Amino acid sequence: MIDETVEEIREMQTHSSSTVAIKAAESLRELLDREYATVEEYVRALDRNSSALRRAQPSHASLHNTQREIVDRVEDADPETVEEAKALTESAIEDVVEDVETAKHEAAQNAVELLPDGATVLTHDYSSTVVEAIELAAREGHHIDVYVTEARPRFLGRKTARTLAAIDRVNTTLIVDSAAGHYLDECDRIVIGMDCIVDDILYNRVGTFPIAATAAELAVPVSVLGSSAKLIEEGFAFQNEFRSPSEVMREPAEGFDIENPAYDATPAHLLENVVTDDGIHKLQ
């Protein structure tokens, strides 16, 4: 299960960073069914497998933080037996998963007040927190129009559009990324997820920066939704990922290069607020 999860994370088959963190944490349960001669052998295996999960997607702050928490809780407790070490691991996994899921839900709930009845918003990529926030607003009776960018080259926005289209009172329109500027004048707000915010820089799916910069020109506020665990002050260095050129163009590139970055960097001064499980944090 761990090897399969590493490969899934590496290939970005799971789009939400919170979901990635949960899957990675759950995959460590595989170690609970293995036999180890000593505590030291078990802890080494835990650390080795956790490191493999983190290396599979070093840009995911939530993955990094949850994996470190699990390993640190076992190591800091200095268990005397393998059984005790496994029990500590299982407890840490359960707590981490609950914390991530609770934080996502609370961030989404806090964002509902930014999505009043009749609002028109634009979102980019796929964020499970953004989707839940819109769904919660719709459940409260709000009618919301949503423009969804395709998020090329992997078209992650199509998943967002399909999900939102199934929600009553949500009118969904899928647009190509380059059309965002055309439709932003109709929007009351942009709502997007986040991979993380480090040193006043939002790192999110590539395409976020030009949308936020255009929104600033048109005076459309930008709200970023996510767990407070994604607000990083120290101990984490963001690493961008450059994905396969085949995602951009299937045929071989002849006489030119193809670059395919997964994320871009958006200065925090382009954002109006960040909505987390701790509340709405004004940035302007």
Side-chain angles (χ1 to χ4, degrees):
M1 181 179 178
I2 294 175
D3 291 342
E4 290 84 353
T5 303
V6 166
E7 188 60 27
E8 179 180 332
I9 294 171
R10 184 178 293 120
E11 294 301 318
M12 294 174 67
Q13 294 173 15
T14 300
H15 309 316
S16 167
S17 59
S18 297
T19 303
V20 167
I22 291 172
K23 283 196 170 188
E26 293 284 8
S27 73
L28 290 176
R29 292 185 185 277
E30 179 181 323
L31 302 179
L32 306 181
D33 297 325
R34 299 180 186 176
E35 297 296 326
Y36 297 92
T38 65
V39 173
E40 292 74 20
E41 182 184 351
Y42 173 79
V43 172
R44 282 196 301 271
L46 176 63
D47 186 59
R48 183 175 64 253
N49 283 278
S50 177
S51 295
L53 288 162
R54 295 198 306 274
R55 287 195 304 271
Q57 193 55 258
S59 63
H60 278 199
S62 51
L63 171 64
H64 173 87
N65 289 340
T66 51
Q67 287 295 312
R68 281 307 331 160
E69 180 177 345
I70 293 169
V71 175
D72 288 348
R73 279 180 54 174
V74 176
E75 292 181 340
D76 293 347
D78 194 20
E80 296 183 357
T81 66
V82 173
E83 289 71 23
E84 182 184 353
K86 287 182 176 181
L88 287 165
T89 303
E90 185 169 23
S91 176
I93 291 170
E94 291 173 353
D95 290 347
V96 159
V97 170
E98 181 179 359
D99 288 347
V100 171
E101 291 179 336
T102 299
K104 282 178 52 180
H105 175 73
E106 291 179 351
Q109 185 65 65
N110 289 334
V112 169
E113 68 178 82
L114 302 177
L115 302 167
D117 185 32
T120 298
V121 301
L122 181 143
T123 191
H124 176 60
D125 188 51
Y126 178 84
S127 163
S128 57
T129 308
V130 168
V131 169
E132 182 178 0
I134 294 172
E135 182 175 16
L136 289 172
R139 287 182 185 174
E140 293 189 8
H142 302 181
H143 292 78
I144 302 173
D145 292 327
V146 185
Y147 287 107
V148 183
T149 57
E150 285 188 308
R152 296 185 175 188
R154 300 189 68 236
F155 303 105
L156 304 180
R158 295 181 183 181
K159 178 180 179 181
T160 303
R162 292 188 185 100
T163 304
L164 293 177
I167 301 174
D168 290 341
R169 290 183 287 276
V170 176
N171 181 40
T172 306
T173 303
L174 182 68
I175 62 174
V176 298
D177 296 356
S178 54
H182 177 77
Y183 290 102
L184 273 175
D185 244 351
E186 303 177 23
C187 296
D188 302 300
R189 180 174 301 277
I190 293 174
V191 285
I192 52 176
M194 62 172 160
D195 192 82
C196 61
I197 295 179
V198 183
D199 297 330
D200 293 326
I201 298 293
L202 164 67
Y203 295 98
N204 197 49
R205 188 73 60 203
V206 69
T208 300
F209 181 25
I211 291 174
T214 305
E217 177 67 23
L218 298 175
V220 179
V222 180
S223 296
V224 178
L225 281 56
S227 164
S228 58
K230 296 181 179 181
L231 307 181
I232 312 300
E233 295 182 356
E234 59 184 17
F236 177 78
F238 183 86
Q239 299 179 44
N240 206 343
E241 178 186 1
F242 288 81
R243 299 188 55 77
S244 170
S246 64
E247 291 182 352
V248 178
M249 192 172 76
R250 292 184 179 181
E251 61 268 28
E254 298 181 359
F256 59 91
D257 296 327
I258 296 176
E259 294 286 351
N260 184 19
Y263 305 94
D264 61 15
T266 301
H269 69 79
L270 295 177
L271 313 174
E272 181 184 71
N273 49 43
V274 177
V275 185
T276 73
D277 44 301
D278 292 333
I280 300 176
H281 310 274
K282 279 279 190 180
L283 299 179
Q284 297 181 15

